[in-house]
Amino acid sequence: MNNDIKESIANTIKSLDRELREISLKIHNDPELGNKEFHAYKLLTEYIESKGFQVTYQAAGLETAFMAKFSNSKSGRRVGFVCEYDALPGVGHACGHNIITVQGLACALALKTLMEQNLVQGTVVLFGTPAEETTSGKINFVKEGVLQANVDYAMMLHPFATDGIYGRMLALDSADIEFFGKASHAGMAPWNGVNALDALMQGLDNIGLLRQQMIATDRVHGIITNGGTAANVIPAYASAHFYARSITKDQLKELKPRVDNCFKAAALATGCEIKMQWGKLGPVEDVFMNDAMALNYKHYMEQEGITYKPRFDEEQTSTGSTDMGNFSYAVPSIHPAYGIHTTAANHTKEFAAAAKTEVAHQDTLRAAKCLSMTAAEVMVDDELYKQVVDDFKKGKPQ
């Protein structure tokens, strides 16, 4: 790739430094839960529209989702970048979505500048995807066909304590579980009741026993959302919210019926009725990393002095889950991790504090520069793009 492209990307991102820092802090200081990110939505749509992008509001049928597009060619390749901006209850931006917003904006604006300078031909699209932590807004973009209709490949970065390319992001589905029993006086006539909370607790015990026979990379975990209303009343109703995770979406299909049976058996044993519903939109899929793009990004990061563990070692690490996995099975995608000078784990108050620092901001801009260079190289290098498509077709399950 020629030096003009590299210099343009570096200069554009450097020029945006303070603007993006201000946006990051505004989002971090006003954490909003999924599908309620009204401040972040307004801030980002107004900003990206002021930069010359054509904005689609409430994209994919979601109130706080958007799509912003810029193009200088109808025939060129089309790249998509991603912003996430929802927070977590109690710990705010403990997954660094304020700086995920920064990487998405930086990359989109860097590619737009290249197009304005006619250094590349094509289209850049920025997707604003709400509720990554809860209802997984990216699934809507895939199910509605918005992603596939607008881009040929997609990219985003995620902050962690360390840099990585191939750490496993697990497939995930969520279940809402309800038990229905019969209320009775817990002291006077408990034998007249059918205890919904007992059913739920027995289901939890069954899950605990199941874990010994689960594959080591599988995960089942959840919370009780309703355990009754009074200690002296046999609970007629109890409910829980659970996650099941597996290393691939196909393995998740095998795990879910086993989880079902744990709770159904508890209902049978206690005489309760059960209602169990898995995620309405469908599961969050594992991230299917595109090798050609991943290796290109890794090359640019190594030029910045970043070192990586061997791929085999990275693949032994299971982290969280992300709806970027759904993007990755729809179009060729990458989702590398980058370190932000912290030892804290994601989803902690310590990580939220780290995501606000100046050094994390600079880490984000550096990684965004490398991701932008990868995106540009896929646009201008026919052989690389062919490899991207081949890797996608070769590895994608039918």
Side-chain angles (χ1 to χ4, degrees), residues 161-208:
T162 59
D163 294 275
I165 305 291
Y166 291 106
R168 297 284 194 172
M169 301 296 289
L170 304 178
L172 173 150
D173 207 350
S174 61
D176 288 306
I177 305 149
E178 296 177 288
F179 287 98
F180 301 89
K182 179 183 177 183
S184 182
H185 195 295
M188 184 181 300
W191 50 84
N192 288 333
V194 178
N195 197 314
L197 180 59
D198 281 355
L200 177 53
M201 296 307 296
Q202 186 166 327
L204 295 179
D205 287 344
N206 291 343
I207 292 293

Side-chain angles (χ1 to χ4, degrees), residues 134-136 138-140 142-143 170-174 244-246 248-250 252-253 256 278-286 321-327 329:
T134 50
T135 57
S136 305
K138 293 183 194 63
I139 295 177
N140 288 65
V142 174
K143 287 206 165 190
L170 304 178
L172 173 150
D173 207 350
S174 61
R245 306 185 200 235
S246 290
T248 67
K249 62 178 184 177
D250 290 334
L252 180 61
K253 291 177 183 177
K256 285 166 58 177
W278 289 95
K280 296 177 182 178
L281 291 176
V284 169
E285 297 175 339
D286 52 295
S321 304
T322 172
D323 53 10
M324 189 65 184
N326 298 73
F327 271 30
Y329 279 99

Side-chain angles (χ1 to χ4, degrees), residues 8 15 23 46 48 52 101 111 123 125 133 173 205 212 224 226 231 246 269 301 325 339-340 375 397:
S8 174
S15 72
I23 289 172
E46 288 180 355
I48 201 68
T101 292
L111 268 290
T123 300
V125 180
E133 299 288 359
D173 207 350
D205 287 344
Q212 184 182 14
I224 296 172
N226 190 316
S246 290
M301 286 291 278
I340 59 167

Side-chain angles (χ1 to χ4, degrees), residues 241-286:
H241 185 68
F242 262 72
Y243 284 167
R245 306 185 200 235
S246 290
I247 203 162
T248 67
K249 62 178 184 177
D250 290 334
Q251 191 169 304
L252 180 61
K253 291 177 183 177
E254 297 177 6
L255 175 63
K256 285 166 58 177
R258 303 177 74 188
V259 174
D260 287 343
N261 288 338
C262 286
F263 289 105
K264 289 177 180 177
L268 180 64
T270 58
C272 287
E273 298 294 323
I274 184 174
K275 179 181 178 183
M276 190 166 178
Q277 182 174 13
W278 289 95
K280 296 177 182 178
L281 291 176
V284 169
E285 297 175 339
D286 52 295

